Amino acid sequence: MKSLFIHLLLFVIVFKAEVFGQKKINEKFKKETISKIDLLLQEHYVFPDKAELIVSHLNKSLKEGKFKKQELLDSFAVALTKEIRVVNGDKHLGVWPAFVPVKEQENSGDDYQLYLKKYTDTRKQANGFKEVKVIDGNIGYLSIDFFLAETNKTIDAYMFLLANTDAIIIDLQNNGGGNPKTVNYLCSYFLKSDLLINTLYFREGNRKDEVITHEVNGKKRIDVPLFIITGPKAFSGAEEFSYNMQSQKRAVLVGEATGGAANPGDVFKINSDLEIFIPVGTGVNPVTKTNWEGIGVLPEIKTSGENAYSKTVELAAQAAEIYRIKKAAESKKLYDELEAIAKQQGQSFSENNVEKMEHQITEIFRKGIDLGLFSEGDINFFGSQNIKKNPLMAECILKSNTVLYSKSPMTYLAYGDMLELNGKKKLALSNFEKSIVLAEEQRAPYLEGLKMRYETAKNSK
């Protein structure tokens, strides 16, 4: 079953109402429509007891003549939606005119204009990711209007830009929701992998689906200060992201309460003219044991929509400064550990102790990578700083880079250079060969340069 979320439907609802909603209807049509809605709700709505109450209310409203004034399809759909939601305020429940395929036009130029407009509008949406930037104070800002399916590469690209920021703001004020898998992918950037963040229960088959975080194709930001801007237009998937981060104590929410629509559902055909969106499932957060349906996600810092951005930037700037101080302290601690190993090696290490030193150095840099402190280039820098004063230390550092960044041709090149400098030609050539193999696999632009370096080392005395 394909779960849908409300934002993608909102555009469709507006479009359908404008194009197909002007059809005139009669009382027989209204009665048959409500009869079919009754059947669909009782068969599919995730809350059977509420379905009975909604059905009873619709029939009562029909008898009382509440739909008498509605003579057009679109106004009838709006009135139905309003009455359906009276019982329990489920904002995912909704009726709208069904899609009717546009007949082929005689003038092919008109077809092209329709295509061009759709193509242009789609490109402007940027997969729902409206804006990304790094603002003063090294604060990352990401504005998302909706979560479209199959946009992981877009998320990766935007998160790459924010990979070294000291705080991140995600603006969901105008986000109407979207694909749950996309929401989970963004969640996975800010939470450790294999973490249960939601359980979806579906009435059909009495099924339960666990939503679990996973690895991403980028740098996770598990400890960076995270702020989310929310508001009443934030709906469904936007609320899910906010609620997940809040319940895991992973982010601070700023702004106003969200819309309050938590339950996933499907579109069902009422007749040839109308469709209904019915929630077929509901979520249970593992921390709160409930969800945000009908309540919304409540921000920790309440402020108006107009002030939400400036307030969040103010909070993020303060958090970023604390984060920088923390990272500097962590980096200094690891650097001191390296210095201690170098000092110990200078006093008592012999060639027989090298393996132990290599292990210690690798673990120091592994911790640094986990903390987001060291990259491949940083480790290479530490190695180069020790080339003259401590060649053996430099060799161990550069070897650790090949262990921690085993897919990088350049780590093997730098390690090979150091081995050659330390008189270990055979081992150096072996690493140059490894560098060439990886570069060939990756079609690296510097492949020919690596081959020349290998030949030079091979032919040297």
Side-chain angles (χ1 to χ4, degrees), residues 1-183:
M1 180 182 294
K2 183 179 180 182
S3 295
L4 304 174
F5 278 78
I6 200 70
H7 176 87
L8 301 180
L9 299 172
L10 291 177
F11 169 78
V12 177
I13 292 170
V14 173
F15 176 73
K16 289 174 180 174
E18 289 178 351
V19 180
F20 309 116
Q22 304 309 314
K23 178 179 178 179
K24 285 197 171 185
I25 57 175
N26 55 35
E27 292 303 310
K28 179 184 177 184
F29 177 86
K30 296 175 187 177
K31 184 176 181 180
E32 290 176 348
T33 296
I34 291 175
S35 178
K36 185 59 183 291
I37 290 175
D38 291 351
L39 292 173
L40 291 172
L41 286 173
Q42 294 196 59
E43 183 177 356
H44 300 289
Y45 193 37
V46 65
F47 306 114
D49 55 335
K50 294 294 190 297
E52 291 183 8
L53 293 176
I54 294 172
V55 166
S56 176
H57 178 75
L58 281 179
N59 286 315
K60 181 181 177 182
S61 298
L62 180 65
K63 290 180 181 178
E64 292 176 350
K66 288 189 176 181
F67 304 114
K68 281 282 186 183
K69 294 181 180 180
Q70 280 72 48
E71 297 180 350
L72 297 177
L73 195 66
D74 58 349
S75 61
F76 181 50
V78 172
L80 279 172
T81 299
K82 179 182 177 180
E83 294 304 322
I84 286 173
R85 293 177 180 174
V86 164
V87 173
N88 62 338
D90 191 330
K91 296 179 182 180
H92 266 131
L93 279 168
V95 178
W96 55 80
F99 174 75
V100 178
V102 179
K103 294 181 179 179
E104 292 185 8
Q105 305 292 323
E106 293 181 5
N107 187 339
S108 60
D110 291 340
D111 285 342
Y112 177 73
Q113 291 302 320
L114 288 171
Y115 155 76
L116 186 61
K117 183 180 186 306
K118 180 180 178 182
Y119 172 71
T120 303
D121 290 345
T122 300
R123 293 181 67 211
K124 289 178 181 178
Q125 290 175 356
N127 286 334
F129 292 79
K130 185 178 180 181
E131 182 181 9
V132 62
K133 60 184 177 181
V134 177
I135 59 181
D136 291 345
N138 197 30
I139 300 167
Y141 173 82
L142 179 58
S143 177
I144 311 173
D145 277 354
F146 54 89
F147 293 102
L148 201 62
E150 300 178 1
T151 54
N152 288 3
K153 288 184 178 180
T154 303
I155 295 174
D156 292 336
Y158 280 29
M159 288 303 297
F160 179 79
L161 178 63
L162 306 182
N164 295 311
T165 52
D166 296 320
I168 292 177
I169 298 170
I170 297 184
D171 192 341
L172 301 179
Q173 283 187 99
N174 297 306
N175 188 305
N179 188 280
K181 289 184 179 180
T182 306
V183 173

Side-chain angles (χ1 to χ4, degrees), residues 283-300:
V284 179
N285 183 279
V287 178
T288 66
K289 308 303 180 185
T290 184
N291 59 43
W292 61 93
E293 179 66 34
I295 302 171
V297 186
L298 308 179
E300 289 87 356

Side-chain angles (χ1 to χ4, degrees), residues 291-318:
N291 59 43
W292 61 93
E293 179 66 34
I295 302 171
V297 186
L298 308 179
E300 289 87 356
I301 309 297
K302 296 180 181 178
T303 185
S304 66
E306 293 78 11
N307 297 327
Y309 176 81
S310 59
K311 182 61 178 179
T312 307
V313 170
E314 176 189 336
L315 294 170
Q318 296 169 2

Side-chain angles (χ1 to χ4, degrees), residues 185 188-189 191-194 212-218 220:
Y185 190 75
S188 295
Y189 260 98
L191 297 169
K192 65 181 181 180
S193 298
D194 301 318
I212 299 173
T213 57
H214 49 74
E215 292 301 309
V216 295
N217 296 316
K220 283 197 175 228

Side-chain angles (χ1 to χ4, degrees), residues 125-396:
Q125 290 175 356
N127 286 334
F129 292 79
K130 185 178 180 181
E131 182 181 9
V132 62
K133 60 184 177 181
V134 177
I135 59 181
D136 291 345
N138 197 30
I139 300 167
Y141 173 82
L142 179 58
S143 177
I144 311 173
D145 277 354
F146 54 89
F147 293 102
L148 201 62
E150 300 178 1
T151 54
N152 288 3
K153 288 184 178 180
T154 303
I155 295 174
D156 292 336
Y158 280 29
M159 288 303 297
F160 179 79
L161 178 63
L162 306 182
N164 295 311
T165 52
D166 296 320
I168 292 177
I169 298 170
I170 297 184
D171 192 341
L172 301 179
Q173 283 187 99
N174 297 306
N175 188 305
N179 188 280
K181 289 184 179 180
T182 306
V183 173
N184 186 32
Y185 190 75
L186 186 60
C187 285
S188 295
Y189 260 98
F190 298 101
L191 297 169
K192 65 181 181 180
S193 298
D194 301 318
L195 177 68
L196 176 66
I197 55 176
N198 199 11
T199 299
L200 294 173
Y201 165 76
F202 293 94
R203 177 179 171 183
E204 184 178 352
N206 196 32
R207 189 179 90 244
K208 289 184 179 180
D209 292 347
E210 293 185 334
V211 181
I212 299 173
T213 57
H214 49 74
E215 292 301 309
V216 295
N217 296 316
K219 178 181 177 182
K220 283 197 175 228
R221 305 304 311 276
I222 293 177
D223 67 339
V224 71
L226 178 62
F227 297 84
I228 302 171
I229 303 178
T230 64
K233 292 182 181 178
F235 228 64
S236 199
E239 296 178 280
E240 181 180 2
F241 180 81
S242 303
Y243 197 77
N244 289 344
M245 294 299 112
Q246 186 181 66
S247 64
Q248 295 293 332
K249 301 186 184 304
R250 182 60 194 86
V252 175
L253 276 56
V254 184
E256 300 174 274
T258 61
N263 300 324
D266 283 339
V267 177
F268 296 90
K269 200 170 189 63
I270 299 172
N271 48 47
S272 60
D273 295 300
L274 291 172
E275 294 175 343
I276 182 171
F277 185 89
I278 300 176
V280 297
T282 188
V284 179
N285 183 279
V287 178
T288 66
K289 308 303 180 185
T290 184
N291 59 43
W292 61 93
E293 179 66 34
I295 302 171
V297 186
L298 308 179
E300 289 87 356
I301 309 297
K302 296 180 181 178
T303 185
S304 66
E306 293 78 11
N307 297 327
Y309 176 81
S310 59
K311 182 61 178 179
T312 307
V313 170
E314 176 189 336
L315 294 170
Q318 296 169 2
E321 180 61 25
I322 296 171
Y323 184 76
R324 280 191 290 273
I325 294 171
K326 174 188 172 186
K327 288 298 177 183
E330 291 171 343
S331 179
K332 183 62 167 60
K333 180 181 178 182
L334 294 178
Y335 181 78
D336 288 344
E337 289 181 25
L338 281 175
E339 288 292 293
I341 291 173
K343 184 177 181 181
Q344 185 180 3
Q345 183 268 327
Q347 294 176 354
S348 60
F349 267 59
S350 65
E351 289 294 330
N352 295 330
N353 304 118
V354 171
E355 185 175 343
K356 179 180 178 181
M357 183 168 69
E358 289 174 348
H359 176 73
Q360 289 176 322
I361 290 172
T362 299
E363 288 309 303
I364 287 173
F365 283 121
R366 193 187 304 278
K367 282 190 288 185
I369 292 171
D370 291 341
L371 291 170
L373 298 172
F374 300 139
S375 65
E376 173 190 335
D378 295 325
I379 298 173
N380 188 66
F381 171 79
F382 282 120
S384 64
Q385 291 294 98
N386 281 276
I387 290 176
K388 290 185 177 180
K389 64 180 180 180
N390 196 333
L392 183 58
M393 182 75 172
E395 181 182 314
C396 291

